[in-house]
Each structure stands twice: as structure tokens, then as C-alpha cells.
Amino acid sequence: MIRASAAVLALLLAPAAAAPAHAGIPVCSYRVEASFPHDPSAFTEGLFYANGLLYESTGREGASRIVVRKLEDPAPLTQAEIDPSLFGEGIIDWKEQIISLTWRGGQGFRWDRKTLKPIGSFHYEGEGWGMTRSGEVIYQSDGSASLRLRDPATMRQTGSLPVTADGKPVDNLNELEWIDGEIWANVWLTDRIARIDPASGQVKAWVDLSGLRRGDGASGMDAVLNGIAWDAKGKRIFVTGKNWFGIYQITPVCR
């Protein structure tokens, strides 16, 4: 766990006050249950947790990589560098593979899950942002208010899911995570996570993480909230941000 001053811990461990969002949609605050170290040089784009390991992808040309690590230790157990001319984006697991996207390169990659050795590539239209998966369906964001549905075997688009809140499009959907039948999505440049009904695309609730970045100590315009991981076995939710010092296990506090 990260050691922090008493003042910082008090700020993180107290439930945050929920800020107003769209009318009629519940807004949850949060409680920090635990904190873990994060590499502050990591410009986080993709995050997921599986089989006791944390998988993270980072962005920026020349610094994009995929890292497999333990939650308690930021030192990579395995890592892969992405072509330095490309800006790495979201990742997801599928069978014995890791699938990764790039931002504007229109190029994605397949990696061996155990070794992170490259095993294939593919091309797609539009920008690549975040990904999550439910069974044989990948949900992919591209910065718009609509998620693309893809077949993980081919990465061909099979459909789309417009996302709305009170009937209005929710733009800037970014990093995604499938949590207990919902799609959780960071909304870029905000402290909010949208909890999306995958059947209708409607936002069921917001999780307002205001104050978490300040408690972390991350600074700079780009150091925004981005990264959601779900420990399905332990029923734990982890969040982080670009160039943050910590990964935080949170519990939504909904009234």
C-alpha cells in the first residue's frame, strides 16, 4: 500500500460529496478502501485485473507499452513495447491473448497473454480509445458518445451502442470496464464514471470521484482520471489516472 500523510489519508478515506450531474440520474460518491502504488510515468490508457494480476497499457509515442504486474508492486513482471511511432490505447483479454489498440494509427495488435510476445495485428477504422469485454463481445470507445461492438476473433465491428444520459449523448467516453452486468466508463477530462446499461445505452448512475486526484498529488492538465479495473473474484473496484502515484480500491456510496 502507499504510505501517505495523515491529512492525505483523511481526504481519501472520507466519502466524497457528490456533485450535481444530469437531473434524475443518481450520483454516487465513493469511499477509498485501500491504495496501491502506481508508476507516475505511466500515461494510463487501458487497465484490467485478472487471475491476481494487473494489466495496464500506456500511451504517448515512444512511451507506449503493456505491463503485467502485481497490484502491490509496480515493477513489471512482463512488459511489451509498442511501435514508438504509435500511441498505445486500450487493452482487453480474450482467451490466451491480449488485444490492444492505438489511438489514431488504425492499427491493433494481438499479444500472447503469458509472454506478451506479438502474435498478430489488425486494422480498423476510426480512433481507438478504451475496451472492455463481456463474453464474445468487445465494447470499444473512440471518444464519441457511442461504443463500437466488435468480434474479438476478427475485431470487425458488429454493431454500436449510443450512450445517453436523460436522453442526451454522453461524449468523451474513454476507458471502460465490465462490472456486474454494467459498463463503467471514464468520461475524459471529468471526475465522473458513467455506469451504463449495455442493453439500452442509458446511464444508470454516475460515480463522482471529485477529490481523488487532489489526494493523489497528480498534477498537470493531462493527469486525468483514466483507468478502471474489476476484481470479479474479490468484488473489488480499482481506479487510477494518467501519471498518478496511486491505484485506489473504491466502494461507491450511493444514496
Side-chain angles (χ1 to χ4, degrees), residues 84-146:
S85 69
L86 298 173
F87 191 115
E89 281 283 351
I91 54 171
I92 193 59
D93 62 326
W94 180 67
K95 297 184 177 180
E96 299 305 315
Q97 300 179 13
I98 300 295
I99 300 173
S100 71
L101 301 177
T102 57
W103 181 26
R104 291 175 171 169
Q107 186 170 3
F109 300 97
R110 297 181 185 272
W111 312 83
D112 180 273
R113 184 168 179 164
K114 291 183 179 179
T115 65
L116 288 187
K117 291 182 178 179
I119 57 175
S121 63
F122 55 90
H123 293 272
Y124 54 91
E125 294 183 358
E127 294 187 358
W129 285 42
M131 284 192 293
T132 192
R133 179 178 62 83
S134 175
E136 294 296 305
V137 178
I138 286 177
Y139 296 84
Q140 181 229 315
S141 61
D142 59 10
S144 71
S146 185

Side-chain angles (χ1 to χ4, degrees), residues 199-210:
S200 66
Q202 296 178 5
V203 175
K204 300 168 59 177
W206 300 99
V207 181
D208 186 345
L209 297 180
S210 296

Side-chain angles (χ1 to χ4, degrees), residues 210-239:
S210 296
L212 191 59
R213 171 179 165 175
R214 184 172 68 254
D216 177 85
S219 61
M221 292 181 59
D222 291 329
V224 296
L225 182 73
N226 198 51
I228 312 167
W230 170 237
D231 173 9
K233 292 182 179 179
K235 302 295 182 182
R236 297 183 295 173
I237 301 169
F238 305 109
V239 297

